[in-house]
Amino acid sequence: MVKKYEWYPTDDEKKTFKRHTPKAPKERKSAQPGQVLILLAGRFRGKRVICLKQLKSGLLAVTGPYKVNGVPVKRVHHAYTLSTSTKVDLKGVKLDSINDDTFKKEKVAKAAKTHKFLAADAPKNTTSDARKKLQKDVDGAIMKNLKDKLVKKYLGARFTLTKNDAPHELKF
């Protein structure tokens, strides 16, 4: 038995679907500006970094400082960080210029197919002068505040776990 419908939708009627709208990111209480964090993933995993601020996208802006442990000013998702109890004073650091647009990559023209095989002719990735200046300004102000040699040594040391470490019992 087939139910008889009085009305059938036409083919040209447009259906609107409910789309996902991103919510505002949550502020993470343990990732305050000046807090020392440990990176858990990516190229710099195991490095200790200083949290500069939380960006509008929800990502954290962090720096090494570059001179201490080689980590540049970069964006990191807070899920890939581990907070420590150590704090660094950010007095004198200008964070106004750091936003999501700071980290956008510049568009580069696509390389020809011959460039894929000839690596010498391929365009090289370089850091912009604005990014170098930002790194120098931020790190210079932080280094003035890092007077304690133990904190510098702590930031330069990598975080690792050995066979006998119990991570649930460690206090960071």
Side-chain angles (χ1 to χ4, degrees):
M1 183 95 149
V2 179
K3 186 176 178 184
K4 188 178 177 187
Y5 289 100
E6 296 292 323
W7 178 82
Y8 291 96
T10 58
D11 290 338
D12 59 348
E13 191 173 310
K14 204 172 194 180
K15 291 182 181 178
T16 56
F17 297 103
K18 190 175 182 182
R19 290 190 170 88
H20 170 73
T21 54
K23 296 182 179 97
K26 283 187 178 178
E27 294 278 329
R28 187 164 171 190
K29 291 176 186 166
S30 60
Q32 297 297 324
Q35 197 80 35
V36 175
L37 308 172
I38 299 170
L39 298 180
L40 300 176
R43 179 178 166 200
F44 300 106
R45 70 179 154 272
K47 297 270 190 170
R48 291 180 172 94
V49 294
I50 299 169
C51 178
L52 298 175
K53 71 184 221 181
Q54 185 162 7
L55 303 169
K56 281 191 178 175
S57 63
L59 299 173
L60 301 172
V62 298
T63 186
Y66 190 79
K67 189 176 180 182
V68 175
N69 60 12
V71 181
V73 175
K74 62 183 276 137
R75 291 184 296 185
V76 179
H77 193 278
H78 63 80
Y80 300 111
T81 61
L82 194 91
S83 299
T84 65
S85 57
T86 311
K87 269 198 131 186
V88 174
D89 187 24
L90 292 181
K91 188 174 60 187
V93 181
K94 292 184 179 137
L95 301 175
D96 303 336
S97 61
I98 299 175
N99 54 28
D100 286 312
D101 296 332
T102 309
F103 300 99
K104 290 234 164 80
K105 293 199 175 185
E106 297 161 8
K107 296 226 175 185
V108 181
K110 284 195 172 187
K113 290 186 178 182
T114 56
H115 288 295
K116 290 180 182 176
F117 298 107
L118 305 173
D121 297 338
K124 296 203 171 27
N125 290 340
T126 57
T127 308
S128 68
D129 292 334
R131 196 73 171 270
K132 287 178 186 175
K133 185 182 180 308
L134 173 73
Q135 183 74 49
K136 199 173 184 180
D137 294 344
V138 170
D139 285 359
I142 290 175
M143 291 303 281
K144 285 180 186 172
N145 296 336
L146 285 178
K147 302 223 184 325
D148 191 6
K149 287 186 179 179
L150 280 177
V151 175
K152 280 186 189 176
K153 199 171 182 181
Y154 175 71
L155 285 170
R158 266 196 117 99
F159 172 77
T160 54
L161 290 172
T162 59
K163 190 170 76 172
N164 299 324
D165 288 335
H168 61 287
E169 291 180 355
L170 292 176
K171 184 183 182 301
F172 295 103

